Structure formats: structure tokens, C-alpha cells
Amino acid sequence: MSAGGIVSLVGAGPGDAGLLTVRGKELLERAEVVIYDGLVNRELLRFAPPTAEIIYGGKHDRTRCVSQAELNSLLLAKALEGKCVVRLKGGDPFVFGRGGEEAEALAAAGIPFEVVPGVSSVHSVACYAGIPLTHRDHASSVTVVTGHDAPSSPANKVDWPALARIPGTLVVLMGLRNIRAIAATLIAHGRPPETPVAITSRGTTGRQQTAVGTLDTVGELAAREGLEPPAITVIGEVVNLREQLNWFEQRPLFGRRVVVTQRSDLARPLVSALRERGAEVLEVPATRWVPHPNQAPLDKALGELASYDWILFTNPLGIEFFFERFFQVHRDLRQLGAARLGAYGPRTGRKLREWRLYPAAVAADHKTPLILDAITKCGSVNGQKFLILRGDIAYEKVPEALTKLGATVDVVPCYDVVPETEDPAGGAAALVEAGADWIIFASGLAIEHFHQRFNLPALVARFPALRLAIASPTVQWALDRLGLSAAATSLPDDPQDLVNAIVKAEASSHNFGMTYSQPLVALG
């Protein structure tokens, strides 16, 4: 075997990306190959390095089903190449996940491996449905079985008659297709027909759906509610506690699918705030930030920093690109000079402070009057020299306004912004397939790039329940160009206010529940 080859069998959890373990994240971040299950939340693939080879290894998609034998061979082949391989498995690798079989194959081949336990759907889905599997007053034991094979099937290895007599809670995984036969068998061997039953589909995600009934009604209930796998079934008195303990499905944005178009690192606070309110979040970045293809103007400015009275930064990412180039030219931060620093917006100001640089002027928003107001509060700009660092495309008129006030202004591009076309987490595919309830935009450029990729008016027409939200009133102009309007608007750079605006709009519409649907017409 080549030196360094190792396989990590990592439990990805039941669906909520936040339930991945710290160790699992560490291994993903240094993986060279990731082989993931069909039921794994694809958002977790963002933790893998951009250079990692990502391979689908699921059994739940009939168009690309991979057999267990093929998976075992693939794991061995990649490890024998000397690669660090992460086998990302739904739930826990050793709980109905065939992780034991994969570990056996690796051990037989003499390949080093590690098993990272995951949060199993056995207990986590029940938890998100508000059902404790044990309770001092209701159940002192839990029995977990697979319902993949019907009780009457020759392949069935579960002693259902014996299970009917065992007290406590019974958890059935992979049993949705056979639930009617399972319930009838349990009743026939002694379980009371009125025993409470809960089926939870797509647990721990924003599409979670729970139906509650009894053993004698559960078959009809599952069909009537249109429940789909993956699903778990909980049988026992603890199900009665759901009415009181149903915490997850009571969140104000539960059942709402929200598309976030910011870059993932910038969108983190917004994504967290949305998920805390119960939303299912699709990350579909609209733009990609790259170094400017022509570095000559920036290099010239870097050589003349001592001549500037002010350096203005337009956004946080611009700061990152500026200093990346700065330290290729200079060796010491003190060579930035004595110029005052200005920031377009609070978020840009915070980014400067992360560099231990304290801006003299921080505008409340990206509006030209607010930027000018922040600068002129520091004194007259007449005769002063400004360096403005931004991309090629900008909609504010700060350079023109400063020039009118007697300043000399150099506008230098330090980055380029291009439309994003990749979809590593599958958010774009999910949006096109089933729509969403909300799309959030943080800038006019994001709207333009998103429109180039998806045809925004056509998307809105295709999914009539889809509404738009903007992170500042200054973004509305880009929607105006497309004949669209925002149903929710927030204060600039304030994720909590934006989420509150969406919650308020939802409440005023009196239209809770899942509204995104299958495609109605083709996109133009």
C-alpha cells in the first residue's frame, strides 16, 4: 500500500448539517477523497478542500445506484493510491449503515481506518419530533429494529411476535413501505391496537413531517399524509408527549425553504439565524470573488501609499484581496502609511478592525450621501488625495462626489466579481427542481448575477409562492430593473433584522406550511 493511505468512516448525522461531529469536520477539512451517501446533507461537502475528489456513493438514487461491492472496491482503490479518504455516511456508520461491512473489507486488506460515530437517526429524529424515547413514567427501555423486510418475507430476520411482547419503546427504521404489515403483526401478537405511533419523514431537516396515530390506524395515516422515506417510526406511550414537547416544528420559519445568495463565509451569520428559526436553507452563492486580472494599477497604488490622505475600502472581501497583494509587495503593515481609513458599511469596518486597523470613518450604509457624511465629519476633503479600492463594477458615486468637493481620487480595482456557476452543495439543483419560499439578496450585483444564471422573473413566475428579501433598501434598484419587488427589507448588515422581517412577512400572510412545489413551466 502507498504511504499515507487511510479511510475514515464518518457519520454525517441524520440530515441537519449542524449535527456533524467536530472530529468529522476535522477529517473532511483535510480529505483528499470524499465518498458520500445519498442521504447525506450535501452542505457538509463544503468542508472538504476545493481540491478534494467528491464521489457519490449512494444507494437511494436509481439512476446512479452504487452497490456495496463497488463501494468496498472504491474505498480500497483510493486508499491504495495513498489518499486520505472520508467515507461520509448518513447517521452513524455502525447503526444500519453497513459501516461494519466496509470496515471488515478495509481490515482484510490491511488498510488503516478510523470510525467516527455520528448522531444516529434512531434518537435524533425522535428528539426533533418532540418524542423522548425513554421517560420515567412511560418507558424504561428502547428496542431498535429494521423494517426493511416485511414480517412475512423470507428475508425477514426480525422476531416480530417477540417484539410485540417486549415493553417500552419500539423504534423501526426503514419500515415505511411495510408499516401496515408491521402494525398488523404487532397487534396480532399482543400489542394493543390503540398503542400510540408516530412516523417522522425527513427528520431534523426543514422538510420534516410527522404524523401521529395508533397501531390500528398508522397504515392509512402514512398513505393519507403522503409520507416519504427516509422515515422512522416510534411505537409506544412516549409518543403522547409530542403534543407538549414538539419544539422543532413550532419554530416560526419551520417548513419554509430559504435561498441565501451570499458567499458561504459571509452568509454564515444569516444562515445560522434562519436555521434557528426553523428554515431549511439552500446556499446558492450568486457571485464569485477573484483577484483582479490586471494587477498593475493596484501595484502602482501600493508603491505610492505614502501620497494618500485617505484609503477607502468598499467591502470586507476587498480588504482580503488588498492585503493579499499588499504583503506580496511590502513586508511590514506599517508601510500602509499614515492615511486615514474609511469603510463602506459596518461590516467592512469590522473587517478592518480584525486586521487591528481602526477606520476613521464608517458609513452606515453603501449609499453615497451616507459615505460622504461619514468622511466629511472628519474634516474638509478639499485638496486631499483618496485611494478607493473596489471592483470594476460599482453603483455608488463617491468618487464623483469627492471630486466635486475638491478632492483628488484614484479608483483602483483590487478584485473582480463574476457570476458563480458551480453548485457543490446542490442548492441550485434543489431550487430549480422544487422552488423555494424566499430568496435573499445582499447586493444589486448579486441580483444581476443570479438573474444571469436563473432568469429571476421566470423563476418567480414558475413558483408563484416565491418571495424576495433584500438586506438593504439600497438593493431595490436591481429588482426594479427586472420589474420585481421585495416582500421583506432589513437594515443594512443586520442578519437578525433580516430574519425578523421575513418572519413578520410570513405572519402577515397567514400562510404557513410548505409552499414550494414541483415545476409548473420551463424556465426561459
Side-chain angles (χ1 to χ4, degrees):
M1 183 181 71
S2 302
I6 186 171
V7 176
S8 299
L9 306 177
V10 176
D16 183 344
L19 296 182
L20 179 72
T21 64
V22 173
R23 179 59 176 162
K25 179 175 180 288
E26 289 174 351
L27 291 170
L28 274 173
E29 287 174 337
R30 62 178 193 240
E32 295 174 282
V33 179
V34 179
I35 304 172
Y36 70 99
D37 273 349
L39 295 181
V40 165
N41 188 333
R42 288 186 60 184
E43 290 181 26
L44 299 179
L45 300 178
R46 292 187 183 277
F47 292 130
T51 54
E53 182 181 8
I54 308 296
I55 302 172
Y56 176 80
K59 305 180 184 70
H60 301 276
D61 185 339
R62 293 181 179 178
T63 63
R64 49 175 183 163
C65 181
V66 183
S67 71
Q68 190 60 53
E70 290 173 315
L71 284 171
N72 291 351
S73 297
L74 184 61
L75 289 172
L76 297 180
K78 293 299 179 182
L80 289 171
E81 293 174 9
K83 300 291 181 64
C84 292
V85 182
V86 168
R87 174 74 172 104
L88 195 59
K89 302 178 71 65
D92 181 278
F94 279 8
V95 179
F96 296 115
R98 294 196 176 183
E101 297 175 39
E102 293 174 3
E104 283 183 303
L106 294 168
I111 293 174
F113 65 90
E114 174 181 353
V115 182
V116 180
V119 177
S120 174
S121 63
V122 169
H123 55 85
S124 59
V125 171
C127 175
Y128 272 56
I131 302 171
L133 295 184
T134 62
H135 190 282
R136 187 165 55 175
D137 297 332
H138 302 284
S140 299
S141 66
V142 180
T143 305
V144 182
V145 297
T146 172
H148 185 268
D149 298 310
S152 60
S153 169
N156 173 56
K157 297 179 181 180
V158 177
D159 189 346
W160 291 104
L163 288 177
R165 297 187 295 271
I166 296 176
T169 305
L170 177 61
V171 179
V172 183
L173 304 183
M174 299 176 287
L176 186 59
R177 181 182 59 180
N178 298 315
I179 193 60
R180 190 185 299 269
I182 290 171
T185 301
L186 291 173
I187 292 172
H189 291 87
R191 279 267 182 161
E194 65 274 12
T195 302
V197 179
I199 302 177
T200 300
S201 170
R202 297 190 179 96
T204 79
T205 74
R207 294 179 291 163
Q208 176 173 303
Q209 184 180 3
T210 302
V212 176
T214 59
L215 271 181
D216 59 349
T217 66
V218 67
E220 296 177 3
L221 180 69
R224 184 173 68 247
E225 297 295 328
L227 299 178
E228 297 179 353
I232 75 163
T233 302
V234 179
I235 302 170
E237 297 301 321
V238 290
V239 171
N240 289 331
L241 296 169
R242 169 178 157 79
E243 185 175 352
Q244 180 183 359
L245 305 181
N246 180 18
W247 61 276
F248 182 61
E249 296 172 27
Q250 299 304 314
R251 291 182 169 184
L253 292 180
F254 175 77
R256 316 310 272 177
R257 174 178 276 186
V258 182
V259 175
V260 174
T261 60
Q262 280 181 290
R263 211 175 83 166
S264 292
D265 53 347
L266 296 179
R268 198 166 295 121
L270 175 60
V271 170
S272 296
L274 287 165
R275 286 182 174 147
E276 286 173 3
R277 300 295 186 92
E280 176 193 3
V281 179
L282 299 181
E283 294 192 56
V284 187
T287 59
R288 183 192 308 169
W289 301 64
V290 297
H292 198 276
N294 181 10
Q295 295 286 309
L298 179 56
D299 289 346
K300 181 176 183 297
L302 288 171
E304 302 172 352
L305 289 175
S307 69
Y308 290 104
D309 300 293
W310 280 90
I311 301 175
L312 304 185
F313 295 91
T314 58
N315 57 68
L317 282 174
I319 295 172
E320 298 288 345
F321 283 105
F322 172 79
F323 281 111
E324 181 178 347
R325 190 63 176 175
F326 176 91
F327 286 113
Q328 293 173 4
V329 176
H330 299 297
R331 308 176 80 181
D332 193 318
L333 189 60
R334 288 173 291 185
Q335 291 177 272
L336 191 62
R340 290 173 169 176
L341 306 181
Y344 287 23
R347 195 154 48 90
T348 308
R350 288 193 295 272
K351 176 58 71 173
L352 281 173
R353 293 186 186 97
E354 290 178 12
W355 283 87
R356 296 296 188 266
L357 298 170
Y358 293 88
V362 178
D365 197 354
H366 284 231
K367 291 181 179 179
T368 298
L370 295 177
I371 297 169
L372 281 179
D373 182 61
I375 294 170
T376 55
K377 281 182 179 178
C378 298
S380 172
V381 300
N382 185 39
Q384 304 237 302
K385 187 175 181 181
F386 284 75
L387 171 62
I388 298 181
L389 299 160
R390 67 184 192 190
D392 285 325
I393 300 174
Y395 300 103
E396 39 77 17
K397 303 296 181 182
V398 173
E400 295 84 349
L402 288 171
T403 301
K404 287 183 179 179
L405 293 175
T408 301
V409 180
D410 290 339
V411 177
V412 174
C414 64
Y415 58 86
D416 196 13
V417 185
V418 298
E420 180 61 86
T421 57
E422 297 182 358
D423 187 30
L431 170 62
V432 171
E433 178 184 355
D437 296 289
W438 290 89
I439 302 178
I440 297 175
F441 297 104
S443 70
L445 189 58
I447 293 172
E448 292 190 338
H449 284 174
F450 191 90
H451 172 59
Q452 289 179 36
R453 184 176 185 182
F454 296 103
N455 189 338
L456 189 53
L459 192 68
V460 171
R462 181 183 180 190
F463 301 105
L466 177 61
R467 288 183 284 180
L468 309 178
I470 53 178
S472 168
T474 59
V475 178
Q476 179 59 46
W477 65 267
L479 292 180
D480 290 339
R481 286 185 174 183
L482 299 174
L484 301 171
S485 61
T489 304
S490 75
L491 298 172
D493 296 325
D494 192 334
Q496 289 293 341
D497 187 63
L498 179 53
V499 175
N500 289 340
I502 292 174
V503 170
K504 184 177 179 180
E506 285 286 342
S508 65
S509 70
H510 301 290
N511 185 23
F512 293 95
M514 301 175 74
T515 57
Y516 53 88
S517 58
Q518 294 302 310
L520 301 177
V521 295
L523 284 176

